[in-house]
């Protein structure tokens, strides 16, 4: 039997974290290809980035229509623009002075023949084998009923996102772009009731003391929590626990694309298939099917069919139909899980083409997803975070 009282922790990292710099550069290149492709669903990207002290390497494989290629020089310019926008003009990691190496080549013809449609009987196949998970729950109803995300992760993201917004507005002097957060919540009968500990580490100027940074961070934490009764005890509020965090970003730690997959998804509250998202075009089911399962799980919960829902799908490379679709409502479903599984498949075509077309994924919409989570975000008129819509609620109810 599950414990009635327990603690659960999730973490987040800011846009200036070395790994997140890499995710953003990789997604900026994906967006550049999709923008030139014009929605034709021909662009292919598998782009990885590495950053360290004043050095950036971009590697991988791409493909596009004739005349729609993104040159190595343009990729370098995209990397510098992303680094500049994040806020890195430091001596040992500077948007203009860092060396940028681009070693991107064409996509393997063997992969292409498995993924592409032949225009006849063969539909688009999955870009790789693998399993993907989607998740939704009602833990964030206390702050926003539209988010449907695990509360520890949502609070962790929001602390850093709001700090970054304030920094970009010029209202957070002395605070640098590299930061991390971690929120531990106490649960009673499966519902979060308060924070038991909160950790925030943020890069800062040498003129700020640990106590200075603590008081700079405090209001952001208080604003994110539902009310002051949720705040952890003072001796469990850790800000820069090492004491000093002046050297940050790639000068202090190398970064790689796709190394923060739990931060990107559900903070450990749900299983993860293992595949990263950033740097991949939507033919890669690592990305598109993970978005589809989140979309379906969120709509199941939004429709009132369950208070918590996990969905898994699996694919084989080159095969269009999913090999399996599994639904678990964790005992909260109003109908048996197999009926809900049948309903989600009735309401959405889970082939790579079906997912891409339903969620309109062949648009340059990915760079904003590179930090503060791919889920629990607000959809935009331009198509960003389309998988966060709850426009399938009526169809699911009718199918059930």
């Amino acid at each position: 039997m599950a414990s009635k009282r327990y603690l659960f922790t999730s973490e987040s990292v800011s846009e200036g974290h070395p790994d997140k710099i890499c995710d953003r550069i990789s997604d900026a290149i994906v967006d550049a290809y999709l923008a030139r492709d014009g929605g034709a669903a021909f662009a292919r990207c598998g782009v990885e980035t590495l950053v360290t002290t004043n050095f950036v390497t971009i590697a991988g494989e791409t493909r596009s229509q004739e005349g729609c290629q993104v040159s190595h020089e343009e990729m370098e310019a995209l990397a510098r623009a992303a680094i500049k926008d994040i806020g890195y003009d430091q001596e040992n990691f500077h948007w203009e002075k860092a060396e940028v190496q681009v070693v991107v080549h064409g996509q393997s013809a063997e992969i292409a023949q498995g993924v592409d449609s032949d225009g006849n009987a063969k539909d688009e196949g999955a870009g790789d084998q693998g399993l993907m998970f989607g998740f939704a729950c009602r833990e964030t109803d206390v702050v926003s009923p539209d988010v449907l995300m695990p509360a520890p992760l949502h609070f962790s993201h929001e602390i850093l996102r709001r700090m970054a917004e304030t920094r970009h507005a010029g209202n957070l002097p002395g605070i640098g772009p590299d930061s991390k957060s971690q929120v531990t919540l106490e649960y009673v009968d499966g519902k979060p009731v308060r924070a038991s500990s909160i950790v925030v580490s943020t890069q800062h100027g040498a003129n700020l003391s640990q106590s200075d940074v603590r008081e700079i961070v405090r209001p952001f934490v208080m604003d994110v929590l539902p009310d002051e009764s949720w705040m952890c005890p003072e001796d469990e509020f850790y800000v820069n626990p090492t004491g000093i965090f002046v050297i940050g970003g790639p000068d202090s730690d190398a970064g790689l694309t796709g190394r923060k997959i739990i931060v990107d998804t559900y903070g450990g509250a749900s299983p993860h298939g293992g595949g990263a998202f950033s740097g991949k075009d939507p033919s890669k089911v690592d990305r598109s099917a993970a978005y589809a399962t989140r979309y379906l799980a969120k709509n199941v919960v939004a429709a009132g069919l369950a208070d918590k829902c996990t969905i898994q799908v699996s694919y084989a490379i080159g095969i269009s139909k999913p090999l399996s679709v599994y639904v678990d409502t964790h005992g909260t479903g109003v109908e048996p899980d197999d009926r809900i599984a049948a309903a989600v498949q009735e309401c959405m075509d889970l082939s790579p083409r079906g997912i891409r077309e339903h969620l309109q994924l062949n648009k340059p919409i990915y760079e904003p997803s590179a930090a503060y989570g791919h889920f629990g975000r607000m959809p935009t008129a331009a198509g960003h975070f389309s998988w966060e819509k709850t426009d399938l609620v009526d169809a699911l109810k009718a199918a059930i």
Side-chain angles (χ1 to χ4, degrees), residues 8 133-135 150 262 265-272 309-311:
F8 190 82
F133 288 90
F135 181 73
I262 302 304
T265 54
Y266 306 104
S270 167
H272 194 293
C309 182
T310 301
I311 298 180

Side-chain angles (χ1 to χ4, degrees), residues 315-355:
Y315 294 86
I317 188 168
I319 307 300
S320 62
K321 67 179 180 65
L323 305 185
S324 64
V325 179
Y326 165 79
V327 172
D328 183 3
T329 59
H330 308 274
T332 70
V334 300
E335 295 286 346
D337 290 348
D338 59 345
R339 288 194 64 186
I340 296 176
V344 300
Q345 293 175 81
E346 180 180 330
C347 293
M348 186 177 184
D349 177 359
L350 288 171
S351 69
R353 181 195 295 275
I355 293 170

Side-chain angles (χ1 to χ4, degrees), residues 15 39 45 126 139 183-184 225 232 265 274 277 300 303 343 348:
E15 62 191 19
C45 291
E139 290 182 13
V183 174
T184 301
L225 296 176
C232 63
T265 54
F277 302 159
V300 166
M348 186 177 184

